[in-house]
Amino acid sequence: MASGGLADRTTATPAGAVWTKTCLTLKRELGDATFGSWLGHAALRERSDNEVCLVAATGVARDWIRRHAWRRIGELWAQNDPEGRALDLKSRMEFDSAAPAEPLIAEVSLSKAQASPAPVLTLHEAPATFEAPAARPVRTHGLQERFTFDTFVPGPANEFAFAVARRVGCWADGHFNPVVFHGPYGFGKTHLLNALGWEALRTAPDKKVVYLTAERFTQTFVKAVQDRQTAAFKDELRDADLLLIDDVHFVAGKASTQEELFHTLIALVQDGRRVVMTADRPPHELSDLEPRLRSHLQAGLVCGIEPADRDLRQGILERKLDMLARQGGFPPEVRPEVLQFLADRFSDSVRELEGALNTLVARIGPQLAQLTLDEAQSILRPHLSAPERKVTVDHIQKAVAEHYGLTQADLLSERRARAVARPRQAAMWIAKQITTRSLPDIGRRFGGRDHTTVLHAVRRIEALKVDDPVLTRDLDVLLRKLRG
């Protein structure tokens, strides 16, 4: 009997194989972007012979999976697992705190969850963990330790740039040269460039990586000319295996600096060395750059980074909160409405978003979990930009009415038809998110309604957003419009 049991265990289907089959179907059904954002970092860990746990990278990812994919995952798991093992879902922090020694079974990335060969640029092909070099040579001066791939939160707005950065960072073949990342200030260009540099050094410690901001490039070049050291300056840069230039738009209008940068770029590319730059606009819009420099930047791979959507902003907040909580020695917990307020209110820059969370942690610290939405708004009021402080309930009503094809009077009326009631609730929810008005004050501005009506509207919209992508999109459009 014992030998029979051993034989059964030997021939049992590995849990990792079951998860891989499940991911193949999920990827087809959800699409590459959604799968990569929410399930691409998920790992399967074994608790016992009959129980395994799907570990999401963050609590935000766990919540999204539970709301939008958990039922389907359960169906596919049951179909693919002849052993009938139970599957649980936890965030990485939850799992590690409960059972830190559990063995890793599988971590499925997009490239692994494909039946066909992976394309040249795929997500997560580089090693998933970052280890800083034991001895940091002088050539790494300028790279910021906090900007690694581990601390970067990928999402639909940046996933292509993220995939390219990881590909270049691990010195993979098939790269394009040069690579230019472009996008608004505060949405991760510098983070990606630093992460790429650290990964390149970790993967090939013998390679020479040079990181400079365009401003530092200009200052160093000017000083080299003044000191008659231009030959040494050129040798230092052109000996690099990987040259990273941040904010290349800074050299616009500086003729001699552009000339030097152009010849440096040509020398490196012709010698098979790699060049990666960032800019606030795509190269063809950098009209002040010398045409031949602009043309060579366009000849490589140009990767845009779009403003982060709401889910990505929440993921960034949770990652930042985890880091701050570890440093401060307190639980990484915050009320959902506070997290949502931050994600909705600070949408123009990831730096501003993280700065707002830093402010709350500095003021509240270990009591962050007890912080109410009203308290958070009060603390952050001095940090809110002037244009958004001027948004009034009247502005919100007009914008919502226009969006839904109603009149402002409809929103203030007693009409309870869904076509009117739902936009009215949405307007109340928006008023709570981006104004400092109290619930009773908002109610008075909606035809003299009671504060409990406003509270019901806010809770109703929060509940509907979970499963109504159309409503979520409407709210995001309205929030962006009202914020200018």
Side-chain angles (χ1 to χ4, degrees):
M1 292 296 291
S3 60
L6 178 61
D8 290 344
R9 181 170 297 184
T10 302
T11 59
T13 304
V18 177
W19 178 236
T20 299
K21 291 176 64 177
T22 300
C23 283
L24 287 171
T25 303
L26 288 171
K27 182 172 175 289
R28 287 195 301 268
E29 295 178 353
L30 296 174
D32 290 357
T34 301
F35 180 93
S37 297
W38 301 111
L39 287 158
H41 291 284
L44 204 66
R45 293 180 183 264
E46 189 168 19
R47 287 173 164 172
S48 65
D49 291 342
N50 295 312
E51 186 177 2
V52 290
C53 183
L54 178 61
V55 182
T58 67
V60 172
R62 173 206 60 206
D63 294 342
W64 187 93
I65 292 170
R66 192 179 300 281
R67 289 195 303 265
H68 299 285
W70 190 237
R71 180 180 299 178
R72 182 57 175 155
I73 288 173
E75 294 172 350
L76 294 171
W77 180 267
Q79 293 172 11
N80 296 325
D81 184 22
E83 314 305 321
R85 284 164 288 208
L87 181 64
D88 195 10
L89 174 65
K90 289 186 179 296
S91 69
R92 185 167 298 170
M93 178 165 290
E94 286 177 330
F95 187 89
D96 288 345
S97 62
E102 301 296 334
L104 174 71
I105 297 176
E107 186 161 356
V108 180
S109 68
L110 285 181
S111 59
K112 293 178 182 177
Q114 294 178 358
S116 58
V120 172
L121 296 173
T122 56
L123 286 176
H124 320 314
E125 286 194 271
T129 58
F130 165 77
E131 297 176 8
R136 189 173 298 116
V138 174
R139 64 174 178 265
T140 68
H141 178 72
L143 288 176
Q144 300 182 57
E145 294 184 2
R146 64 193 180 97
F147 288 151
T148 70
F149 285 133
D150 277 352
T151 58
F152 190 86
V153 182
N158 59 30
E159 63 181 350
F160 179 61
F162 178 69
V164 171
R166 296 209 70 153
R167 188 75 181 175
V168 176
C170 65
W171 305 93
D173 293 332
H175 66 280
F176 296 86
N177 210 9
V179 173
V180 179
F181 298 117
H182 70 86
Y185 282 106
F187 280 103
K189 302 187 301 297
T190 296
H191 193 146
L192 271 185
L193 201 63
N194 276 264
L196 190 160
W198 285 122
E199 184 67 13
L201 287 168
R202 191 199 67 80
T203 306
D206 58 318
K207 299 282 190 179
K208 180 176 180 179
V209 176
V210 175
Y211 171 91
L212 288 170
T213 64
E215 181 180 11
R216 183 63 182 271
F217 178 94
T218 302
Q219 293 171 347
T220 307
F221 173 66
V222 170
K223 189 174 188 307
V225 172
Q226 293 172 345
D227 296 342
R228 298 184 180 181
Q229 297 291 322
T230 54
F233 174 80
K234 292 178 181 181
D235 290 344
E236 174 66 17
L237 292 186
R238 297 179 192 184
D239 190 42
D241 296 290
L242 172 62
L243 176 62
L244 308 172
I245 302 290
D246 204 3
D247 292 334
V248 70
H249 52 271
F250 181 84
V251 304
K254 301 175 176 64
S256 59
T257 303
Q258 290 187 65
E259 178 83 10
E260 181 58 33
L261 182 59
F262 170 75
H263 288 298
T264 298
L265 172 63
I266 295 301
L268 289 171
V269 171
Q270 289 180 347
D271 199 28
R273 300 169 191 265
R274 308 185 184 194
V275 181
V276 184
M277 301 185 183
T278 70
D280 61 353
R281 288 157 286 165
H284 72 270
E285 293 183 11
L286 298 173
S287 56
D288 291 338
L289 279 187
E290 184 181 295
R292 58 179 178 170
L293 175 58
R294 186 169 65 245
S295 175
H296 276 80
L297 294 181
Q298 290 178 261
L301 179 62
V302 179
C303 305
I305 299 177
E306 300 297 326
D309 61 20
R310 189 172 188 264
D311 286 334
L312 180 54
R313 294 196 298 272
Q314 285 191 298
I316 291 169
L317 283 170
E318 178 143 339
R319 180 73 63 86
K320 180 73 172 180
L321 179 60
D322 285 346
M323 182 189 73
L324 293 173
R326 286 196 301 270
Q327 293 174 348
F330 59 87
E333 298 174 2
V334 63
R335 293 186 179 186
E337 60 268 24
V338 172
L339 195 70
Q340 291 162 5
F341 163 71
L342 294 176
D344 288 331
R345 184 62 180 78
F346 296 89
S347 61
D348 294 334
S349 167
V350 171
R351 292 193 185 105
E352 292 180 6
L353 183 68
E354 292 184 336
L357 182 60
N358 287 338
T359 300
L360 294 181
V361 171
R363 288 283 298 273
I364 304 300
Q367 285 74 48
L368 190 66
Q370 285 76 49
L371 183 70
T372 68
L373 177 57
D374 286 340
E375 290 169 341
Q377 291 174 334
S378 177
I379 291 172
L380 294 173
R381 189 172 294 120
H383 303 274
L384 304 181
S385 59
E388 292 204 355
R389 284 203 303 268
K390 296 178 181 178
V391 175
T392 66
V393 175
D394 182 66
H395 293 148
I396 294 169
Q397 290 171 348
K398 289 177 179 177
V400 172
E402 180 183 7
H403 183 83
Y404 286 103
L406 302 171
T407 67
Q408 191 173 359
D410 289 330
L411 299 182
L412 304 182
S413 72
E414 296 297 325
R415 293 176 58 190
R416 296 188 178 183
R418 183 175 178 178
V420 176
R422 189 57 47 77
R424 182 188 297 129
Q425 291 175 330
M428 291 179 179
W429 180 87
I430 293 173
K432 181 58 180 171
Q433 301 302 311
I434 66 173
T435 75
T436 58
R437 297 291 182 183
S438 64
L439 295 179
D441 202 3
I442 294 173
R444 283 193 294 271
R445 284 165 169 74
F446 278 85
R449 286 175 165 80
D450 187 80
H451 77 280
T452 57
T453 302
V454 181
L455 181 60
H456 171 75
V458 170
R459 289 175 175 172
R460 181 62 176 155
I461 292 298
E462 287 293 343
L464 289 171
K465 283 194 306 168
V466 173
D467 298 311
D468 191 339
V470 174
L471 175 62
T472 301
R473 186 166 57 250
D474 286 345
L475 293 172
D476 192 53
V477 168
L478 285 165
L479 287 168
R480 289 184 179 276
K481 180 178 179 180
L482 287 162
R483 289 166 174 158

